[in-house]
Amino acid sequence: MFGKIFGKPKEQPSVRQSLDKLSETREMLEKKLKVLEKRVAMELQKAQEFSKQKNKRAAIQCLKKKKLYENQIDALNNYIFRLQDQEVNLEGASVTVEMMSAMKESAQAIQGVQKKMNIDDVDKTLDEINEQSENMKQIQDALSQPVGIAADLDEDELMAELEELEALELDEQLLQPAAAVPAQPLPSVPKKVPAQKAPAEEEDELERMRAEMAM
């Protein structure tokens, strides 16, 4: 009943719808602006023509129209600037709303995860994990212990036996004869040494050569 009397409340437009409306209005004003600019140019041209014809009255009328159009152009520029400012503000608000929505959803998701977890359950789970790890370690230690004959062996005795074996091996190495060093061949001696002439023979031969040269 009240809806019929007062009418249904109007639904709030979405951000996208508001941006589309602003953009549509701005484009319409820009088209009107171009038309007015053409009229200004046309009235100016007519005023110049009437001035050449010495028709001052008609020229003044054209200039008045030109002035009116210019005032409308200034008003349209102001409207367009305001619409652009609204578009920028609305886009910024839209980004803020989307960011807050994303943050709210993430906060709700975190709360949902936290509701599924309980600090007592976490402590209990950690205790169970530690207990299982300790049990597994004890099992592994038990399995690694020697059994049967190996469990009865004395490690000290085995170590002493190993030392004796190492000592015997060292003695055997010391008792082995040293390896023979191959003999190096001696340098060969020339079989025949050229005989050297006695000093007297050298003097006689020298005198004979001098006499032959004098002839």
Side-chain angles (χ1 to χ4, degrees):
M1 179 178 178
F2 289 103
K4 293 181 179 179
I5 296 174
F6 298 103
K8 294 182 180 180
K10 293 183 178 180
E11 295 182 358
Q12 293 293 332
S14 65
V15 175
R16 186 71 265 166
Q17 291 174 342
S18 298
L19 285 173
D20 292 340
K21 184 63 177 178
L22 288 172
S23 177
E24 180 182 349
T25 305
R26 177 175 51 79
E27 291 176 358
M28 182 266 294
L29 293 178
E30 288 174 349
K31 290 179 181 179
K32 287 186 176 181
L33 185 63
K34 291 180 180 180
V35 173
L36 290 173
E37 289 175 347
K38 290 180 180 180
R39 290 180 180 179
V40 167
M42 183 177 61
E43 294 298 331
L44 179 60
Q45 183 179 1
K46 289 166 62 176
Q48 291 173 347
E49 291 176 357
F50 286 131
S51 177
K52 292 178 181 179
Q53 298 172 5
K54 305 300 180 180
N55 190 350
K56 293 183 179 180
R57 185 179 182 82
I60 291 174
Q61 289 297 326
C62 292
L63 292 176
K64 285 182 179 180
K65 287 185 179 180
K66 171 181 168 295
K67 188 64 177 178
L68 292 174
Y69 292 147
E70 288 176 345
N71 291 336
Q72 292 181 18
I73 288 174
D74 292 338
L76 288 179
N77 282 326
N78 289 331
Y79 297 155
I80 292 173
F81 175 77
R82 290 181 181 178
L83 290 175
Q84 290 174 340
D85 186 59
Q86 283 294 102
E87 286 183 271
V88 172
N89 292 334
L90 189 55
E91 288 176 352
S94 175
V95 172
T96 303
V97 170
E98 291 179 1
M99 180 187 68
M100 292 300 299
S101 177
M103 293 176 64
K104 184 177 180 180
E105 290 180 2
S106 63
Q108 291 175 350
I110 293 174
Q111 290 178 356
V113 173
Q114 290 177 346
K115 288 181 180 179
K116 295 179 181 179
M117 293 189 302
N118 188 302
I119 187 63
D120 296 333
D121 294 337
V122 173
D123 292 337
K124 182 180 178 181
T125 301
L126 292 176
D127 292 339
E128 291 176 354
I129 292 174
N130 293 331
E131 183 179 357
Q132 292 173 1
S133 299
E134 185 65 25
N135 292 338
M136 183 59 64
K137 183 182 178 189
Q138 292 177 2
I139 292 173
Q140 292 175 351
D141 292 342
L143 293 175
S144 63
Q145 297 295 327
V147 294
I149 298 176
D152 298 333
L153 297 177
D154 189 351
E155 291 188 2
D156 294 336
E157 292 181 359
L158 295 175
M159 186 61 66
E161 185 176 355
L162 177 61
E163 292 177 355
E164 291 178 0
L165 291 175
E166 292 176 350
L168 289 174
E169 184 178 356
L170 180 61
D171 292 341
E172 290 177 358
Q173 292 178 357
L174 293 176
L175 293 175
Q176 288 180 358
V181 180
Q184 298 292 335
L186 297 175
S188 59
V189 180
K191 297 180 179 180
K192 184 177 182 181
V193 180
Q196 295 183 354
K197 296 181 179 181
E201 294 179 356
E202 291 180 357
E203 286 293 335
D204 294 340
E205 186 177 355
L206 182 59
E207 288 296 333
R208 185 171 60 257
M209 292 175 64
R210 288 176 181 173
E212 290 178 354
M213 293 176 62
M215 296 176 60

